[in-house]
Amino acid sequence: MTQQYLADAMCWDSIARGDVSAFSRQAEAGAALYEFALCAGLLRGSGRLSG
């Protein structure tokens, strides 16, 4: 399971349990990990973030 799908599954699990604070933390961590992997060139078709 890739990081993106793992983060998605964790977030949906938190929503299903009604745990808003866990969802918020997991969504933030998932976004940070995705940004890191993208900038590091670890994702297929990735490059540096523009902007």
Side-chain angles (χ1 to χ4, degrees):
M1 184 177 281
T2 66
Q3 177 272 323
Q4 186 175 10
Y5 294 119
L6 179 60
D8 189 51
M10 289 188 314
C11 288
W12 278 110
D13 183 60
S14 295
I15 290 172
R17 290 182 289 117
D19 192 344
V20 176
S21 62
F23 169 78
S24 180
R25 290 190 310 273
Q26 291 163 348
E28 186 176 335
L33 286 171
Y34 179 77
E35 184 176 357
F36 169 78
L38 187 63
C39 290
L42 300 174
L43 303 175
R44 277 185 269 142
S46 66
R48 296 184 74 70
L49 291 174
S50 61

